[in-house]
Amino acid sequence: SWDTLDRIMIGSAGHQRMAEAGNFSLMWTELPVAVRVNSSWMLLGRIDAYDPLRRELWELKTTSAWAHKNGKLPYEQHIWQVAIYRWMLRKNGLEPERVRILYMFRDARRSDWQWVDYDVTNKLPSDGEIEERVNSFVEQLKRALEQRDPSMLPLPDESERYKCEGCPWRNKCLALRQGQQLLVEV
């Protein structure tokens, strides 16, 4: 859709700007990170930007200017995402001191705010809460695989299905949820 293309283009431009910023400081962009959850599962992520000198973790998001004007930001799911990224970095020996979310507004006019960033460091859940959520998610996936039951997949509610648009696994999950395939271990 046009809206999806718009989000992709703005997101790509923002990622490019972060990569260019790395030329002026030490900024790792599109940083892959992995953590072993248990003996058979790994959690993989790709962090938008991390500055190891300033020990700052950055996540780039696109949203509407309306969300900013109406005090909806930062979104709780984005706080959880960066919290999990920080937890993953810590598990890999890095200690982010600050965690920030940069929101770029896809519908901003030139006379409006174009972006805003939030320091969410003090809003992050504890490492214990994060581990509990990650383990719960993995257990739900394991049960779905063991029982070969796609209805048990931990997908967003129908009202939030738009969140799946950018996911590379979207077509597999939604097809599974609709019963078009069987779950098999690989």
Side-chain angles (χ1 to χ4, degrees):
S1 71
W2 184 256
D3 185 53
T4 302
L5 179 61
D6 187 39
R7 289 172 195 240
I8 291 170
M9 296 304 291
I10 289 172
S12 295
H15 284 257
Q16 182 62 37
R17 289 294 288 149
M18 281 190 159
E20 290 167 5
N23 294 332
F24 305 110
S25 66
L26 184 57
M27 181 78 75
W28 298 337
T29 59
E30 297 293 319
L31 176 66
V33 63
V35 168
R36 181 160 296 285
V37 176
N38 59 33
S39 62
S40 32
W41 288 80
M42 291 201 62
L43 179 62
L44 306 172
R46 187 172 303 270
I47 296 171
D48 286 343
Y50 181 68
D51 184 335
L53 296 179
R54 287 190 256 163
R55 295 166 65 174
E56 283 186 332
L57 168 63
W58 286 85
E59 180 64 19
L60 174 65
K61 296 293 184 189
T62 58
T63 191
S64 69
W66 175 93
H68 173 61
K69 290 176 187 175
N70 289 289
K72 302 292 184 187
L73 302 177
Y75 290 119
E76 182 181 355
Q77 67 263 26
H78 296 162
I79 292 172
W80 270 97
Q81 181 183 358
V82 294
I84 292 170
Y85 284 160
R86 182 191 67 164
W87 172 76
M88 292 174 77
L89 285 175
R90 292 169 94 172
K91 291 280 193 183
N92 282 285
L94 297 171
E95 274 299 323
E97 289 179 357
R98 291 180 68 192
V99 179
R100 304 175 72 90
I101 302 173
L102 173 66
Y103 287 98
M104 296 175 53
F105 305 131
R106 63 181 174 272
D107 56 352
R109 296 183 306 268
R110 289 184 186 259
S111 60
D112 289 338
W113 286 80
Q114 302 294 312
W115 63 81
V116 66
D117 76 270
Y118 290 88
D119 185 335
V120 297
T121 308
N122 295 327
K123 296 181 179 189
L124 301 177
S126 70
D127 284 356
E129 291 174 280
I130 293 166
E131 286 194 39
E132 184 178 316
R133 184 174 264 198
V134 167
N135 287 328
S136 173
F137 185 84
V138 167
E139 285 303 313
Q140 193 173 355
L141 285 172
K142 279 175 49 177
R143 281 192 304 275
L145 278 172
E146 288 166 358
Q147 296 182 25
R148 300 182 190 271
D149 184 354
S151 69
M152 297 175 69
L153 288 171
L155 296 174
D157 294 332
E158 290 293 329
S159 64
E160 295 185 336
R161 192 56 50 86
Y162 67 90
K163 293 177 183 176
C164 296
E165 286 181 18
C167 177
W169 304 103
R170 176 181 183 269
N171 292 334
K172 291 188 181 289
C173 282
L174 293 179
L176 288 170
R177 179 58 76 107
Q178 296 162 0
Q180 296 170 9
Q181 300 177 26
L182 292 177
L183 285 175
V184 293
E185 293 186 55
V186 284

